[in-house]
Each structure stands twice: as structure tokens, then as C-alpha cells.
Amino acid sequence: MESVYPHYCRLREEMERWLAQSIRLDPPAQGGGEDEANYALAWFPHRLVTGSEKVRGHLEGLLGLLAEWVRRDGVHGYEPEAEAHHGTEPFLLFLPRYTGLFPEDAAAGRLLDDAAHHIGNWVAGIPPWYDWERGRFRSYRLGTGFVKEGPWEPVQLAEHFRFLHIALAAWRVTGDARYREWAEHYGSRRARLLDEAPPGPLPIVWDPDGRPVWAGECPEEWLRMAGAGHHAPGDPLGGVEVLLASGAIYALGDLFRLTGEDLYRRAARRIAAPLVSQLADPYADPGAAAVAYYRWACRDGSFDADLRAAVDACPPADEGELALTAPERIRRVHPGVGRRQDMLFWGYWGGEEGMVRPTREPSTAALSLAYQLTGRAEYARRALRTAAARLALARRVLRGGREHSDMGGAVCSVAQGHGRNWGIGAVTGCYGPLCLGTHEVLGAVTASLEVRTPDGQRAIPPEVLSLVARPEPETMVVRLYNAGETPVSLEVRAAGAAEWAGVTLAAGESRMLATQPPGPHRR
């Protein structure tokens, strides 16, 4: 624990520095529009870890700009002309996380509700989006003023999972039963399509009649809709990649936890299974995070033997000097998940000759999963060291990315991943998962471990390091370490537990606590 603390401390400091830098240098680019607020996803776990009021103030400012953009450019809370990829983005990542962190903010809840109530055709005078009889969306291009009709349009894309996220978050915030009912109606349809897909690589899309279509036989229009331009030719993980880019496994996990229906677990497993072998890939951040999430949400340890073997084969840490590179031409060459045409590449500086050798270090999400499985502090050290070093280098040489958070070459792209990563990057892949056991639950960043100080603040004291391991999917093992020179008191509990447990750590003391989540897994 002593070797981990300096890197954890540096990451906390870098996140605060980036916040101050961004407030100074990243003015509103689109007046709150499209995915502008989504550049701030890494500050949600930072707020949970530190309780930073500066984070709250910045997020509230972003929400205000988003609300003004919706009022100015929207019709009944949504863009009049949009498509399922970009039209959903203002309501997809930032807003559900914000309502989870600040549930008392009624204005944020109204924004989410005003967008969500178009999904099931619940607003008079708005073109219908959803075909209830056939369990599919009527188009890829869905807006409050226009829905494009045509033979190509009813194709079922990974992007349509985005409406599941919005509906489930709206149900969490409003309690309106129609959102959950619709989510189960459409979610069960999509889960069945995944579950019944032939063995082997997953398709890129399903046609209007529910037949799977793979990239090699897919019309160009559907490939374009699916974002297949971000894939290397012939990539067998293309069908998984499009699902990761729209967070499909998290929607399926939510529905499994809500209903207990095994169909959702089986569908989520079709996404997770091909990713187990990708753990060592330095750029497969969303893949490692998805496997860790599946293991927890579905309480399924059946991959653990293979995961532990992959951890044992993990290359040794490279302690060299980090280097950040970008090719001149924008193109996609390498197969796999977590990649994008305009992505950055990492390596290690080769000395005076200026040569850079490619990194072999697994992603921080993979290193976090390695710690969760084994409890070996070395993996946590490597993850937090990588996150802090990459963020520091990114802050020095890259623009913030607020103007387009999906881009591959900004500070936010490093911290939370680019637009194909579903918010998983160097910081978000390890910071919350390691320190508080965070997971995405109904769109909110939710901590498995809750910590508060004697004065009632929900935060980990700066001199204390907390690490959460899951040697089994249903077991949480917490290690606390006091790096300070005086005793520290705090209270901890598993999320959902009624009682807090008081803990006092002597200077330099490390203590282990084991717990299981209270009550049934599903809600």
C-alpha cells in the first residue's frame, strides 16, 4: 500500500489541476450543445473520491449551459432533426451521471424526462419513434420534428441501445413506470437477438426483420450508420465494438439486476466473452471494463480462471519515461476494441536518439481488474501510476476537448477515453473502480464502498488510500492505508448497508475489511 499511495496522491492532484486548467482554458464551444458536457466524465469519480466542491460548481455550470442549449435549439426537449448516435449524446453520459451525483437537482431531472418521453411515443404531436408491435425503432434518424422513413431506416443498430440508457435513467430519476416497462419491452427484444445470434463473431447490425448482418455483407449505408469506419478491415470484434461504443452491456446488466431474467445475462455474456482474451491489449480499455462489469453485475465468475491466467501472463511493468505520439494521417489499421481513427498512441522514450518504443502496458481498466481478482497492490500501483502520468502529459500538450468530447486527441480523450470507449479511459478505468469499487448503475456512477469523515463529508481523507478488490464476484475486500503521520478516523459501509462502521487508522497502518453487499442483487 505504501508504494501505491504516491501515485494515488498524484492522480488526485492532477485531477484538481486539470479542473483549474479547464475552467481557465476551455470556454463553451457550442453553447452546451451536442456532447460538450460529456468531456467532464472523469470528474464524477473524482467528486466521489474527494468530495471536491470545485467539481460540483463546474458540473453545475455545464448543466446550466446544456439546459440553455436544449431550450434554444430543441423542440419539446430534444433536437427536431437528429440521429440515434449524436442526438442522444447530450442526454446519455453526462446527464444521467449528474442526476446520480446530485439527485436533489430537479432541473436536471426535468431535462432527462423531457428527452426520454419521446422514446415510447408518449407526446402528442411528435412523430412516433418506436414500433411497439414489432419491438423496433422506426428509423435511425429520430427527432421531435422529423423521423426519416425508408427501407434502410428500420435497421436495428447498437446505437438504439442508447435509448435504453436514457429510459432507465429517467425511470431512476422520475419513478415513472412507463420508462421501465418500455425498457423491458425493447431490452428483451435486443437481448434475444444477441442470445440467438450464431456462435462466433457478432453481427454489425440486425436487419428490419431481425436477421443478423455481418460487415462483409452489410450495405454501405448501414455500415456508415454503425460507425464501422472506425474498424480495421475484417476485424472479428467489430460487432462487439459497436455494442461497447453504445454501452450495451451496461443496459443489459441493469435489466438483469432489475428483473433477474437470465436472458439479459446470456446476452451480456455474448459481449463479454470475446473480450476476455483482450486483457493484455494496451488500448482495450472499454473491453476490460466491460468484463469487470459483467463479472459484478451478473455475479458470474465463470471467466475467472481465464482472467487469472491472463493476469499471470501480464508483461512486467515498464518504468520508463512515457511518450505520447500521433500519426500524421488519420486512419484505422489495428483490429480490436478501444480504437478510433484519430486516436493517440503511447510508448516509452528511448533516450537521446529520440526513438519511441510502443507500450506493452495493459490498460488501467485491465490493471484494475487484475487487482480486483488478485488483491496484489502492484497492479493498483501500475494503474494509478499510468493514469497520473498520462493525464499530466496530456494536460501539457493537448487541448481540453470540450468542443468535441468524442475526439481521439484531447485531454478528455486520455482521461475518459474517446467516443468509442463509453467513458472508459486512463483515469476512469481505475480511479473510481479501485478506490470505491464504482460501477455504472442506471446511468449513475455508483460506489460499492461509501466513506465519510467524522464531520459527515462523503470523501476519502487525502492521507488515506482505499482499494477495493473482488476475489469473487459477490465479495468485496477493502484495504485502507493511512499515509499520514497522525491517526485518522473515518466511517465506511457497503453501498446499501444501514449502519456505518467506524475505523481509526494509526499513522502508517494498513487494515483489511471484508464485506458482502446487503440484500438481494436485483432491485
Side-chain angles (χ1 to χ4, degrees):
M1 295 288 278
E2 185 176 358
S3 67
V4 181
Y5 178 79
H7 304 292
Y8 158 75
C9 193
R10 184 188 180 194
L11 181 55
R12 286 179 62 136
E13 293 169 353
E14 285 295 334
M15 287 296 293
E16 283 291 307
R17 290 179 183 132
W18 179 32
L19 179 61
Q21 175 180 314
S22 182
I23 291 171
R24 291 196 313 271
L25 301 178
D26 297 330
Q30 304 172 59
E34 203 196 313
D35 64 349
E36 186 172 328
N38 287 338
Y39 97 109
L41 303 184
W43 285 307
F44 285 92
H46 185 60
R47 163 74 183 191
L48 289 172
V49 169
T50 67
S52 170
E53 284 300 310
K54 293 179 181 178
V55 168
R56 178 174 191 142
H58 189 48
L59 297 181
E60 287 176 344
L62 291 171
L63 178 77
L65 286 171
L66 175 58
E68 173 59 23
W69 174 80
V70 171
R71 185 200 64 78
R72 184 181 68 244
D73 291 1
V75 172
H76 213 302
Y78 199 88
E79 286 185 283
E81 292 192 29
E83 29 80 4
H85 184 94
H86 294 101
T88 53
E89 285 183 339
F91 315 100
L92 188 66
L93 294 167
F94 172 85
L95 191 54
R97 283 162 170 76
Y98 183 94
T99 58
L101 201 56
F102 307 113
E104 70 281 2
D105 193 326
R110 287 193 296 270
L111 271 179
L112 189 59
D113 187 32
D114 209 21
H117 60 193
H118 302 296
I119 295 172
N121 315 330
W122 296 300
V123 181
I126 301 296
W129 292 7
Y130 187 64
D131 184 337
W132 281 88
E133 183 178 348
R134 303 191 68 176
R136 71 182 191 192
F137 281 92
R138 298 167 61 86
S139 181
Y140 172 63
R141 295 166 180 86
L142 302 163
T144 51
F146 175 74
V147 172
K148 184 173 182 179
E149 305 281 356
W152 298 108
E153 290 302 317
V155 59
Q156 297 305 292
L157 298 148
E159 273 75 7
H160 289 120
F161 271 94
R162 296 174 176 224
F163 295 107
L164 280 172
H165 291 286
I166 294 171
L168 288 168
W171 173 72
R172 168 176 55 80
V173 171
T174 68
D176 191 331
R178 64 184 174 180
Y179 292 132
R180 176 169 172 177
E181 291 168 1
W182 176 85
E184 291 186 30
H185 186 272
Y186 182 60
S188 62
R189 163 75 170 169
R190 292 306 300 263
R192 193 167 293 107
L193 292 177
L194 272 169
D195 185 43
E196 295 175 355
L202 289 174
I204 293 290
V205 302
W206 280 260
D207 75 10
D209 295 318
R211 291 185 291 264
V213 184
W214 286 266
E217 58 193 30
C218 200
E220 188 63 32
E221 177 71 2
W222 288 354
L223 288 174
R224 189 187 60 76
M225 291 179 183
H230 290 293
H231 300 168
D235 188 348
L237 289 175
V240 172
E241 194 278 341
V242 296
L243 292 164
L244 288 180
S246 288
I249 196 168
Y250 300 96
L252 294 166
D254 281 336
L255 288 166
F256 174 72
R257 296 180 74 247
L258 288 170
T259 67
E261 293 184 16
D262 196 55
L263 170 65
Y264 297 114
R265 183 199 63 80
R266 297 196 307 271
R269 186 182 175 87
R270 289 299 304 270
I271 301 172
L275 298 169
V276 173
S277 63
Q278 306 298 304
L279 207 63
D281 184 339
Y283 299 101
D285 307 68
V291 172
Y293 172 80
Y294 171 82
R295 186 175 178 265
W296 169 78
C298 298
R299 292 195 167 186
D300 185 351
S302 61
F303 294 135
D304 283 9
D306 290 337
L307 291 171
R308 292 179 193 279
V311 169
D312 289 341
C314 181
D318 194 325
E319 307 292 348
E321 184 178 351
L322 198 62
L324 173 60
T325 68
E328 178 183 357
R329 287 197 296 133
I330 294 176
R331 62 191 185 280
R332 177 68 191 275
V333 177
H334 305 288
V337 302
R339 288 166 166 79
R340 182 181 162 99
Q341 287 181 327
D342 61 346
M343 65 184 285
L344 300 167
F345 294 87
W346 296 94
Y348 291 93
W349 192 250
E352 294 182 2
E353 67 276 14
M355 299 294 291
V356 175
R357 50 189 172 79
T359 183
R360 296 178 60 221
E361 187 77 342
S363 69
T364 63
L367 292 168
S368 297
L369 177 55
Y371 175 78
Q372 292 162 8
L373 285 160
T374 67
R376 297 175 198 163
E378 169 64 7
Y379 294 121
R381 184 193 73 82
R382 289 169 64 175
L384 293 168
R385 174 185 179 273
T386 296
R390 289 189 179 185
L391 181 58
L393 184 51
R395 284 199 313 107
R396 196 178 83 203
V397 300
L398 301 174
R399 67 188 190 270
R402 177 171 172 170
E403 74 276 19
H404 181 44
S405 68
D406 280 357
M407 66 190 298
V411 181
C412 67
S413 319
V414 172
Q416 65 186 44
H418 50 65
R420 309 301 295 179
N421 276 29
W422 193 253
I424 306 298
V427 174
T428 51
C430 68
Y431 195 14
L434 283 176
C435 296
L436 293 172
T438 56
H439 297 284
E440 182 179 332
V441 178
L442 302 173
V445 180
T446 304
S448 299
L449 174 70
E450 298 178 357
V451 181
R452 72 180 182 188
T453 59
D455 63 0
Q457 183 186 22
R458 293 293 189 92
I460 303 172
E463 62 270 39
V464 172
L465 169 64
S466 165
L467 293 178
V468 175
R470 293 191 181 278
E472 304 295 334
E474 299 181 43
T475 301
M476 181 168 68
V477 177
V478 179
R479 295 178 70 183
L480 301 172
Y481 170 66
N482 177 14
E485 297 179 353
T486 59
V488 174
S489 295
L490 63 155
E491 294 180 306
V492 300
R493 69 180 181 186
E499 302 295 329
W500 292 87
V503 178
T504 298
L505 299 169
E509 181 184 357
S510 179
R511 190 179 305 181
M512 184 178 294
L513 310 171
T515 184
Q516 288 183 318
H521 200 48
R522 66 177 185 268
R523 298 164 64 114

